[in-house]
C-alpha cells in the first residue's frame, strides 16, 4: 500500500478560518504505550517496530474495538532525531526471522513504514487509509483528526515511535566527519548542539525581561515530579530520580544558558491512540475525549535562528488560531500541556496562549508560585519530556487521560478537567490540539 | 578553531567561492531587494527564482546574541570546548544573521551589541569561511 | 592518600547502562581509607540516594564538570577518575588534573583490587 504524506490542505495554518468544521465530532478513545528503554537491546520484540506493534495492540484493546474494525493508520515514518544505525552494520538475523520485512532493511529498526506495520499486524484486515504525519505525534494526531472528520477513515490508529541506539545522540553521521556539504555548513560549522537555538532565545528573553536561568528550577522540579507519577514514562519505570532546585543549578552547561537538565533524555518508546467519530466513540470502552480544534504553526525565522520578536509574534498568532477554531478563549483552559523539549521554550508557548492571563515576560515569575497538579494553575501535568523522556507525546496522552479521569496519581485536582491544549514542538513550527471532555 | 571542511553544493557555491576570495556575499532577490540567508532556491518573499543574485556585503555587523557551547556534537570542535557561538546581524540588514566563534573574544565575555568585522578562516579542507572579530574602539585594552 | 572518583552510568554495575565495576569495589576502596566519591551526570540528590541505598558513606558527590572543585577540596597524593566516556569523563578529568582510568584499567589497580591505602580522610 502506498502511503502519502499528509497534504498541506489537511492542516489549519491560518487565522480567520472560523470554528473547525469537525469541532466535537472526532474523539480520541484508546491509548496504548510500549514500555520504555534507554536504548535498543537488540531483541526483535524491543525494536522500534516491535514496540510499535505492542503500543498499537494496547490501544486497540484499551478502546475495546475489534482489530478488524480499524480502517485507518496515521503515523510518522521517522523514528529518530539523532540516533544513527552505523553504516555497514548488518541487520540482526533475529529481526528478519521474527518480523516480515519490507524492501528497506532498516524498516522496523531505524525507521518505520505503514507497510511494515501492516505486514506484521495481520489482524488489521480492513485498513484502507494510511497517511504519514511526519515529525512527531503532534502532527500525526492533527492529520488523524482531520482524516476522521473528513470521512477518510472512521476508526483510525495514530502511532508515533522512537528508536535509540548505543552511543551519544547527534555524535554520528556528518558530525563525526571531516567535511560537510555547503548548505549544512552555514549552520553546522560552529558546532552548536540541538538546544543552542532555544538557549539563545532564552538568553534574549532573560535580558529583555530581567529574568535568569535559575528561575527555571521550579518548572524542572514540577516536570520531574509529574513525570514520576506517569507510569508509562522512562524515569518512573527505570530511575525514579527527582531533580531538585540544587540539582538543577549544579548541572553542567550544554550550551549556556541551557544546562544538562534543560535537555531531555533520548529513549525508545512508542505510543498509539485510537481516533474515531464522536458517534462511534460512545460505544467504546473508554470515555471519549473530543477534539475541538487542531492548528498549525508554520512560521519560520527570517534567518538562521528565530529572534525573540519572531517567537512571540508566532506564539500569539498560534494561540489565536487555536482559540478561534475551538471556539474557546484562554479562560476556558483547565490546564495546559504544551511541549517542553526544550523546557526553555515552554514559557513562549504559554505566554502566547495567555494561559492564566500570562503576558510576555511573566512566565518565570509564574513558575515561582503553585504550578502543581493539585493547585489552580497546573503547568504541564504530564511532566513532558523532562518528566518522562524524549517522546514528544506525553502531553497528548496526559490530556486524554486527564479528561477521561484516569490520570491516576497525576490527576489534576485543583481544577475540573474539561478543556486542555497540547502541542508542539517548536514555538515556530508545530501542531496543536484542543481537547474537551464534552463535544461542545 | 579546527572547523570541519566544506564541500560547496550548487545552492551555496557562490557564497563559498566568494569566501575563498575573502569577500562576503549574501543571496538577494533583485525584484524584492531583499537579502536572505541561508540561501534558498526561491525568494521567501515573492517566491520567484528568476531574480536571485549574490550581493557583496560591507563586512560589518553587530553582535546580536550568543551562547557558550560546552558539549559540542562536532568531533573536531570538542577539543576547543567551551567556546562562544555568537549571532551577528549584518549592517546592510539586521534581519540577516551569521554565526561566529568570535575569535579573540574570551569565553562567555561576548559584548552583545558590539560592532564586529568579517575575517576569513580556513577550514579543515582549506575552504575559507567568514568569521567575525570584535572591533575595538581606540583606547580599548581588550 | 589516593582520591578516586567514580562515574556511574556505564561504569558501575548499577549504572544505566550497567558498567563492569561492582559497588562492592567502591565499598572496599572506602574501607581501605581512600577518598571516594561519584562524579556523574545524575542529579546530585540521586547520587546521594544511590550511595545511601548501598550503605556507603562517600566523601563527595558532584556533577560531571566539578572535578576541579573536588581537587581543590580534598588533599591527596594522586587523584583518579574512573569513567567510560572519552568526551564526558577522560577529557574533563585530565583537564582537572586527574589521572583517568577506564573501568577495566581500574580493576587492575592494586588499591582497588586488593588494596592498601593511607590514613583517614583529610579535608582541607
Amino acid at each position: 500500500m502506498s502511503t502519502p504524506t499528509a497534504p498541506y490542505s489537511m492542516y489549519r495554518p491560518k487565522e480567520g478560518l472560523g470554528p473547525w468544521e469537525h469541532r466535537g465530532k472526532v474523539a480520541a478513545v484508546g491509548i496504548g504505550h510500549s514500555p520504555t528503554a534507554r536504548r535498543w537491546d537488540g531483541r526483535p520484540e524491543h525494536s522500534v517496530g516491535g514496540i510499535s506493534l505492542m503500543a498499537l495492540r494496547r490501544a486497540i484493546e484499551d478502546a475495546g474495538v475489534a482489530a478488524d474494525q480499524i480502517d485507518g493508520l496515521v503515523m510518522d515514518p521517522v523514528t529518530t532525531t539523532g540516533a544513527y544505525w552505523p553504516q555497514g552494520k548488518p541487520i540482526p538475523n533475529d529481526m528478519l526471522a521474527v518480523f516480515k520485512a519490507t524492501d528497506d532493511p532498516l524498516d522496523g529498526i531505524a525507521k518505520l513504514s505503514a507497510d511494515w506495520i501492516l505486514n506484521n499486524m495481520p489482524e488489521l484486515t480492513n485498513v484502507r487509509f494510511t497517511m504519514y504525519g511526519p515529525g512527531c505525534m503532534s502532527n500525526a494526531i492533527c492529520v488523524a483528526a482531520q482524516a476522521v472528520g473528513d470521512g477518510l477513515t472512521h476508526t483510525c490508529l495514530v502511532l508515533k515511535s522512537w528508536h535509540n541506539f548505543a552511543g551519544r545522540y547527534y555524535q554520528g553521521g556528518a558530525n563525526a566527519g571531516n567535511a560537510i556539504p555547503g548548505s549544512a555548513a552555514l549552520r553546522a560549522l560552529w558546532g552548536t548542539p540541538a538546544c543552542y537555538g532555544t538557549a539563545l532565545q532564552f538568553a534574549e528573553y532573560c535580558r529583555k525581561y530581567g529574568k535568569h536561568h535559575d528561575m527555571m528550577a521550579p518548572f524542572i522540579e514540577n516536570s520531574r515530579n509529574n513525570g514520576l507519577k506517569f507510569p508509562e514514562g522512562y524515569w518512573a519505570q527505570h530511575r525514579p530520580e527527582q531533580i531538585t532546585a540544587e540539582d538543577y543549578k549544579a548541572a553542567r552547561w550544554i550550551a549556556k544558558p541551557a544546562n544538562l537538565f534543560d535537555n531531555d533524555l533520548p529513549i525508545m518508546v512508542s505510543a498509539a491512540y485510537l481516533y474515531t467519530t464522536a458517534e462511534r466513540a460512545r460505544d467504546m470502552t473508554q470515555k471519549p475525549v473530543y477534539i475541538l480544534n487542531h492548528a498549525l504553526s508554520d512560521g519560520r525565522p527570517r534567518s538562521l535562528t528565530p529572534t525573540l520578536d519572531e517567537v512571540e509574534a508566532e506564539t500569539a498568532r498560534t494561540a489565536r488560531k487555536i482559540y478561534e477554531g475551538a471556539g474557546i478563549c484562554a479562560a476556558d483552559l483547565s490546564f495546559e500541556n504544551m511541549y517542553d523539549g526544550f523546557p526553555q521554550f515552554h514559557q513562549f508557548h504559554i505566554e502566547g496562549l495567555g494561559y492564566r492571563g500570562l503576558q510576555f515576560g511573566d512566565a518565570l515569575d509564574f513558575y515561582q508560585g503553585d504550578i502543581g497538579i493539585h493547585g489552580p494553575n497546573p503547568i504541564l501535568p504530564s511532566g513532558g519530556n523532562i518528566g518522562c523522556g524524549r517522546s514528544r507525546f506525553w502531553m497528548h496522552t496526559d490530556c486524554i487521560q486527564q479528561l477521561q479521569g484516569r490520570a491516576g496519581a497525576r490527576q489534576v485536582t485543583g481544577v475540573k478537567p474539561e478543556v486542555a491544549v497540547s502541542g508542539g514542538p517548536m514555538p515556530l513550527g508545530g501542531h496543536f490540539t484542543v481537547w474537551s471532555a464534552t463535544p461542545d | 578553531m579546527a572547523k570541519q571542511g566544506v564541500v560547496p553544493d550548487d545552492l551555496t557555491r557562490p557564497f563559498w567561492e566568494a569566501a575563498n576570495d575573502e569577500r562576503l556575499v549574501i543571496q538577494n532577490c533583485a525584484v524584492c531587494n531583499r537579502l536572505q540567508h541561508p540561501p534558498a532556491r526561491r525568494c521567501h518573499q515573492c517566491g520567484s527564482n528568476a531574480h536571485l543574485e549574490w550581493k557583496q556585503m560591507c563586512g560589518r555587523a553587530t553582535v546580536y546574541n550568543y551562547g557558550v557551547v560546552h558539549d559540542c556534537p562536532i568531533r573536531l570542535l570538542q577539543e576547543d570546548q567551551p567556546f562562544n557561538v555568537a549571532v551577528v546581524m549584518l549592517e546592510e540588514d539586521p534581519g540577516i544573521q551569521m554565526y561566529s566563534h568570535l575569535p579573540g573574544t574570551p569565553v562567555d565575555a561576548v559584548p552583545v551589541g558590539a560592532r564586529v568585522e568579517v575575517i576569513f578562516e580556513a577550514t579543515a579542507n582549506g575552504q575559507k569561511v567568514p568569521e567575525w572579530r570584535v572591533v575595538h574602539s581606540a583606547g580599548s585594552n581588550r | 592518600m589516593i582520591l578516586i572518583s567514580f562515574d556511574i552510568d556505564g561504569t558501575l554495575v548499577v549504572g544505566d547502562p550497567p558498567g563492569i565495576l561492582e559497588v562492592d569495589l567502591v565499598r572496599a576502596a572506602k574501607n581501605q581509607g581512600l577518598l571516594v566519591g561519584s562524579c556523574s551526570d545524575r542529579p546530585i540528590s540521586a547520587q546521594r540516594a544511590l550511595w545511601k541505598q548501598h550503605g556507603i558513606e562517600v566523601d563527595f558527590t558532584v556533577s560531571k564538570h566539578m572535578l576541579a572543585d573536588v581537587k581543590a577540596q580534598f588533599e591527596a597524593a594522586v587523584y583518579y577518575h574512573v569513567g567510560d566516556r572519552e568526551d564526558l569523563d577522560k577529557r574533563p578529568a585530565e583537564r582537572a588534573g586527574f589521572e583517568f582510568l577506564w573501568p577495566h584499567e581500574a580493576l587492575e589497580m592494586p588499591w582497588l583490587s586488593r588494596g592498601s591505602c593511607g590514613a583517614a580522610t583529610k579535608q582541607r
Side-chain angles (χ1 to χ4, degrees), chain B residues 67-129:
Chain B
V68 181
V69 173
H70 289 249
D71 196 340
C72 169
I74 307 293
R75 196 164 293 165
L76 278 180
L77 291 173
Q78 288 171 350
E79 287 290 340
D80 296 312
Q81 293 171 171
F83 54 82
N84 297 319
V85 182
V87 179
V88 305
M89 308 184 303
L90 299 192
E91 184 172 292
E92 286 85 350
D93 182 344
I96 300 300
Q97 305 166 334
M98 299 190 77
Y99 286 155
S100 174
H101 286 136
L102 285 186
T105 299
V107 173
D108 208 5
V110 174
V112 173
R115 291 178 56 225
V116 289
E117 63 185 7
V118 73
I119 56 175
F120 292 87
E121 279 186 355
T123 63
N125 67 352
Q127 168 66 52
K128 287 185 179 176
V129 58

Side-chain angles (χ1 to χ4, degrees), chain A residues 225-273:
Chain A
N225 280 338
N226 293 346
L228 292 176
K229 296 181 175 72
F230 209 141
E232 293 88 342
Y234 176 82
W235 297 105
Q237 289 178 358
H238 299 281
R239 286 169 54 185
E241 299 165 359
Q242 305 278 350
I243 302 176
T244 66
E246 180 201 9
D247 296 331
Y248 178 69
K249 293 170 189 173
R252 66 184 171 91
W253 298 114
I254 302 296
K256 188 180 177 184
N259 75 15
L260 183 69
F261 298 130
D262 293 315
N263 288 261
D264 53 12
L265 187 79
I267 58 171
M268 291 198 64
V269 66
S270 177
Y273 308 133

Side-chain angles (χ1 to χ4, degrees), chain A residues 83 92 177 258 288 293 335 372 382 426:
Chain A
N293 187 25
F335 58 89
S382 65
M426 306 306 285

Side-chain angles (χ1 to χ4, degrees), chain A residues 38-39 168 171 234 239 241-244 246-247 250-252 260-261, chain C residues 9 16-17 41-46 48 63-66 85 87-88:
Chain A
R38 180 76 172 92
R39 297 183 172 87
R168 292 194 70 198
Q171 303 267 332
Y234 176 82
R239 286 169 54 185
E241 299 165 359
Q242 305 278 350
I243 302 176
T244 66
E246 180 201 9
D247 296 331
R252 66 184 171 91
L260 183 69
F261 298 130
Chain C
D9 298 313
D16 178 16
D41 269 343
R42 291 196 177 201
I44 290 170
S45 63
R48 289 183 189 137
S63 297
K64 274 271 165 89
H65 61 301
M66 295 167 70
R85 306 296 293 254
D87 52 349
L88 294 180

